[in-house]
Amino acid sequence: MSRVVVGMSGGVDSSVTAALLKEQGHDVIGLFMKNWEELDADGVCSSAQDFEDVVRVCEKLDVPYFSVEFIKEYRDNVFRQFLEQYEAGYTPNPDILCNKEIKFDVFMKRAMELGADYFATGHYARVLRSDGGGVMLGRGVDTGKDQSYFLHAVNSEALSKVLFPVGELQKSEVREIARRYDLATKDKKDSTGICFIGERDFREFLSRYVPAKPGAFRNLAGERVGEHVGSAFYTLGQRKGLGLGGQGEPWFVVAKDQNSNTVYVERGTEHSALYSRELWAKNPTWISSDPCAETGTFEGTAKVRYRQQDQVCQVSKTEDGCYLVRFKDEQRAVTPGQFVVFYNGDACLGGAVIDRVGPTLWERNRS
């Protein structure tokens, strides 16, 4: 019998993870993590509510539970970088950094201090183990819920001690199991968005930390079409919250110039300035080894955002250590600061931060 510490969030997925492991005969311990201390838009501390659900689930399953805080570590290693990236004009993804720096690092180490043989979470992913002891990150069986994109920066050493029980299930099966056990979270709504923002207005939250710096909305012809509150508050492909009207199709953000604090917009969801085929990525994290190590290139598939369908691409390592990704098809609104994540079939190879994007279709048509 193995001792498994389950990272419990107060949601149905981690609750069912604990139930399944207990059912399999493991010595299960629930461990809740608090990373944020502010109240939400309604003046409620969501982490306190989540912990109450963890307590109810663990008591139902008759497993011990503990709570730990990593507020300082989260602010230093995740939130600070999140703000720095926004101020620099990028659009970061803090959930990926949280998995790498917090959940599967300091949180997992705390779990191991409880004598754990394995650390388990409710992520929809799989650990692919070879006969030789090697591990790879695999997609979750439920392709609509697969979270390997968010886990690509977790190293193989950590993965070797990780279990993802619900990664073998469909979401509907997880709900059924929760109802069978009559868990307190059986009908709880799935959480969405960035954990420290929750359901509140994103721009209002960000404005507490990033100062407003009004500037011009311009079209690609250079004409001023409105005023924005600061280029840091907008991302490529954004439609909502621009405050631009007039007759015609909706406006979309197609480019930003951080130096001049200009946000470029054009009308139409399919405008050619939103599409490109190339990107350069930096700061890679490979789960096993660099697939470009031997030949300098590899062919596979990639995603530039969560839930995107796999896109066929060729990846080449450049002399400066970056990775040039050339896609077979045009990609819409590829965003610097986000991550490109690479796959070989069901195996996730790793990913890198998108640094810049190649010429857009609009630029190519002009040349």
Side-chain angles (χ1 to χ4, degrees):
M1 179 175 66
S2 299
R3 170 168 287 186
V4 184
V5 173
V6 180
M8 301 190 69
S9 65
V12 66
D13 299 321
S14 59
S15 299
V16 168
T17 293
L20 289 173
L21 292 167
K22 178 75 181 292
E23 187 178 83
Q24 293 167 13
H26 296 290
D27 175 16
V28 176
I29 297 174
L31 189 62
F32 177 78
M33 172 177 63
K34 181 179 179 181
N35 293 334
W36 199 251
E37 56 190 353
E38 294 185 9
L39 303 180
D40 64 17
D42 297 319
V44 175
C45 179
S46 59
S47 65
Q49 293 181 328
D50 290 336
F51 183 56
E52 288 179 7
D53 288 333
V54 169
V55 171
R56 293 164 68 192
V57 168
C58 287
E59 290 181 345
K60 180 78 173 182
L61 297 174
D62 191 25
V63 301
Y65 56 86
F66 300 92
S67 176
V68 293
E69 288 190 3
F70 294 113
I71 294 172
K72 182 180 185 301
E73 290 86 347
Y74 193 90
R75 283 188 175 273
D76 290 346
N77 299 331
V78 177
F79 188 62
R80 181 179 296 174
Q81 183 170 323
F82 167 83
L83 294 179
E84 289 173 350
Q85 291 289 299
Y86 259 106
E87 290 176 326
Y90 294 102
T91 303
N93 190 321
D95 292 327
I96 290 173
L97 196 60
C98 179
N99 282 329
K100 178 184 178 183
E101 301 289 343
I102 306 296
K103 288 181 183 177
F104 294 89
D105 190 342
V106 292
F107 188 43
M108 183 173 175
K109 289 175 181 175
R110 184 65 59 87
M112 293 303 171
E113 291 173 0
L114 294 173
D117 297 297
Y118 292 97
F119 174 64
T121 70
H123 285 98
Y124 286 82
R126 292 177 295 155
V127 179
L128 308 177
R129 305 179 194 274
S130 68
D131 293 337
V135 296
M136 289 293 292
L137 176 65
R139 305 175 195 266
V141 169
D142 189 333
T143 55
K145 288 291 184 179
D146 169 47
Q147 292 175 301
S148 58
Y149 178 89
F150 295 111
L151 296 166
H152 78 266
V154 179
N155 62 48
S156 58
E157 181 180 357
L159 285 175
S160 68
K161 293 292 185 180
V162 167
L163 299 176
F164 295 129
V166 302
E168 304 287 346
L169 303 173
Q170 299 291 324
K171 181 70 178 195
S172 58
E173 295 177 288
V174 171
R175 290 287 184 187
E176 288 175 8
I177 294 169
R179 294 188 182 104
R180 172 160 61 86
Y181 277 94
D182 193 27
L183 300 179
T185 55
K186 62 181 183 291
D187 296 316
K188 189 173 182 178
K189 180 182 177 183
D190 289 341
S191 60
T192 58
I194 301 170
C195 59
F196 51 78
I197 295 175
E199 302 297 330
R200 79 186 88 195
D201 179 79
F202 176 75
R203 184 182 296 175
E204 184 277 329
F205 174 83
L206 192 61
S207 65
R208 301 182 191 179
Y209 305 94
V210 178
K213 187 180 178 182
F217 277 124
R218 296 185 183 275
N219 62 21
L220 292 173
E223 301 167 333
R224 187 185 184 100
V225 297
E227 183 174 284
H228 62 71
V229 297
S231 59
F233 295 88
Y234 303 88
T235 188
L236 300 188
Q238 181 176 336
R239 171 186 174 180
K240 295 182 179 180
L242 304 184
L244 298 174
Q247 294 184 345
E249 294 186 76
W251 293 94
F252 289 84
V253 175
V254 296
K256 298 198 304 182
D257 185 336
Q258 194 73 3
N259 293 328
S260 65
N261 194 31
T262 302
V263 178
Y264 291 94
V265 293
E266 283 291 343
R267 291 187 183 275
T269 185
E270 300 299 321
H271 193 280
S272 58
L274 287 169
Y275 287 87
S276 57
R277 279 191 177 175
E278 296 180 347
L279 65 84
W280 282 260
K282 62 182 182 180
N283 301 331
T285 52
W286 303 111
I287 290 171
S288 179
S289 59
D290 184 345
C292 289
E294 292 187 8
T295 63
T297 185
F298 79 91
E299 294 185 358
T301 61
K303 300 173 183 282
V304 296
R305 62 181 60 86
Y306 178 52
R307 294 191 186 280
Q308 183 187 28
Q309 293 294 316
D310 278 30
Q311 303 294 306
V312 176
C313 65
Q314 182 184 70
V315 183
S316 303
K317 194 170 185 177
T318 62
E319 292 183 358
D320 60 359
C322 287
Y323 291 79
L324 170 60
V325 184
R326 291 189 173 97
F327 291 96
K328 178 182 177 182
D329 300 317
E330 301 283 350
Q331 304 297 307
R332 186 180 186 277
V334 180
T335 305
Q338 291 283 295
F339 290 82
V340 55
V341 178
F342 306 104
Y343 293 84
N344 181 12
D346 273 345
C348 177
L349 305 177
V353 182
I354 299 170
D355 183 49
R356 55 194 174 94
V357 179
T360 64
L361 181 59
W362 180 79
E363 290 170 326
R364 298 203 306 271
N365 288 341
R366 295 183 70 211
S367 61

